[in-house]
Amino acid sequence: MEERNKTLGEFIIENQKAFQYSSGELSRIINSIRLAAKVVNYKVNKAGLVDIVGAVGEQNIQGEDQQKLDVYANEIFIQTLINREIVCGIASEENDDFITVQGSDNSHNNKYVLLMDPLDGSSNIDVNVSVGTIFSVYRRVTPIGTPVTLEDFLQPGTQQVAAGYVIYGTSTMLVYTTGHGVNGFTLNPAIGTFYLSHPNMKFSENGNIYSINEGNYVHFPQGVKDYIKYCQLEEEDRPYTSRYIGSLVADIHRNMIKGGIYIYPTSSKAPKGKLRLLYECNPMAFIVEQAGGKASDGFDRIMEIQPTELHQRVPFFCGSVKMVEKAEEFMLKAK
C-alpha cells in the first residue's frame, strides 16, 4: 500500500511505539476524536437546516453567544471521551470548569487530560465558512487513582503529548501531532474513513500571506501596526497578500500549506488578547512548531507560558519562522 493511501487507523497502529508512553491510551484518544469528528462533520454539513444553525440563547464562559452547533459539538466530544473511559479529565472552552471523569468502577486510573475548543470559528457557521475543532492532550501530574485537579490542566504547552485540529471545510481533515511531525488525514465521506493525504506537513521558512483582522487596526499596539505597514510596502518580495477568514483553524491551516503568518494581538478592546492559551494557542503552537514554524505572544514562546487560569487569554503570533521573527522585531522596537 502506498504511504498516501494509509488510513488513520493504520497510521496510529504503525506509529504507536513512537508515542512517549506507548500504553495504547493515546492511540485510543486519537481514535475517539476521529469518531466524534465524523459525527460533528455530519451535523456541520447539514448546518443549513434551521434547527441546527443559530444562537442557543445562552452565553459561554467567554461571554460569547453560543451557537447551537457549538453546544452539540461540545456534548459529542465530551460524551465520546467519557464513554470510552480514556481520559481522567476534560476542559472545554464552552464549560466554566473542568470535568472530572471517573471509570465505570468509580476509579480515577486514567493518565491523560484533554482540553478542547469543540467548534472554533462558530460565528462563521451560518455563512458556510470553515469551522474546526482544536484539541490538546497532557499527561496528568496529580497521582493516578485520585480525582484530577486544576493543576492537571494548568500545564505549560511544552508538556503536551498530543495536539491537533479537525477542519470542517470543502473536505474534512484531521491534522495532529504527537511530537513527531505533523500529519493530515482527509475524510472520504462515502465510506467514513480518514486517509493520510498530507504526510509530514511543513511551514515554509518564509511566506507571503499575513492573516490579521485589519478592521481592528486602530486598536492594535504600535509594533503590530508597524509590521502591517511593512507587509504592505512595495519592496523586495512584498507587498504580502492579506488573507483573513476569521476561523483560527482555517487561517493557520492555509498558512501551513501556503506559507504565512497569523496574528491575533492585544488591542485596546482586548488588552490581554482574545484567543485562549489552553484551548487554542498551545495546541496550535505545538502543531506549528512540529511543522517547522514558530509561535509566540509577540515576545516569548507561547508553549513556555505558565498558565494561571483555565480560560486565560494571550496574544498570538504564529507561522513561517522568518515572518514571525520579523513581527517580533517590530514588537520589540515599539516596546
Side-chain angles (χ1 to χ4, degrees), residues 34-50:
R34 171 181 66 172
L35 174 63
K38 286 199 279 189
V39 177
V40 172
N41 174 68
Y42 176 71
K43 287 290 186 182
V44 168
N45 285 335
K46 286 172 64 180
L49 300 178
V50 188

Side-chain angles (χ1 to χ4, degrees), residues 165 170 173 198 200-211 237 240-245 249-262 288 291 293 318-321 323:
Y165 60 82
T170 46
M173 281 187 70
H198 293 66
N200 197 25
M201 296 175 79
K202 289 284 181 193
F203 271 93
S204 56
E205 194 179 28
N206 217 335
N208 64 357
I209 295 171
Y210 69 101
S211 307
D237 59 340
Y240 294 150
T241 301
S242 174
R243 290 281 182 272
Y244 186 72
I245 298 167
V249 167
D251 277 310
I252 293 180
H253 182 74
R254 178 204 50 240
N255 289 357
M256 182 154 54
I257 290 170
K258 301 203 168 193
I261 184 171
Y262 175 90
V288 167
C318 76
S320 299
V321 170
M323 297 184 83

Side-chain angles (χ1 to χ4, degrees), residues 127-187:
V127 290
N128 207 18
V129 169
S130 296
V131 292
T133 296
I134 307 171
F135 64 91
S136 176
V137 182
Y138 294 81
R139 198 168 165 88
R140 67 181 299 172
V141 291
T142 51
I144 291 168
T146 62
V148 289
T149 70
L150 188 59
E151 185 188 356
D152 292 304
F153 298 93
L154 298 185
Q155 298 187 56
T158 49
Q159 297 305 305
Q160 289 174 102
V161 292
Y165 60 82
V166 183
I167 181 166
Y168 311 100
T170 46
S171 59
T172 295
M173 281 187 70
L174 191 159
V175 175
Y176 80 98
T177 183
T178 55
H180 301 276
V182 179
N183 292 281
F185 301 80
T186 301
L187 178 66

Side-chain angles (χ1 to χ4, degrees), residues 206-208 230-231 233-241 323:
N206 217 335
N208 64 357
Y230 166 84
C231 290
L233 278 177
E234 198 162 353
E235 61 182 35
E236 298 172 349
D237 59 340
R238 288 167 282 134
Y240 294 150
T241 301
M323 297 184 83

Side-chain angles (χ1 to χ4, degrees), residues 1 23-24 58 63 102 109 118 128-129 177 183 204 235 312-313:
M1 179 183 288
S23 58
E58 294 178 3
Q102 59 184 36
N109 292 327
N128 207 18
V129 169
T177 183
N183 292 281
S204 56
E235 61 182 35
Q312 185 172 345
R313 298 174 190 261

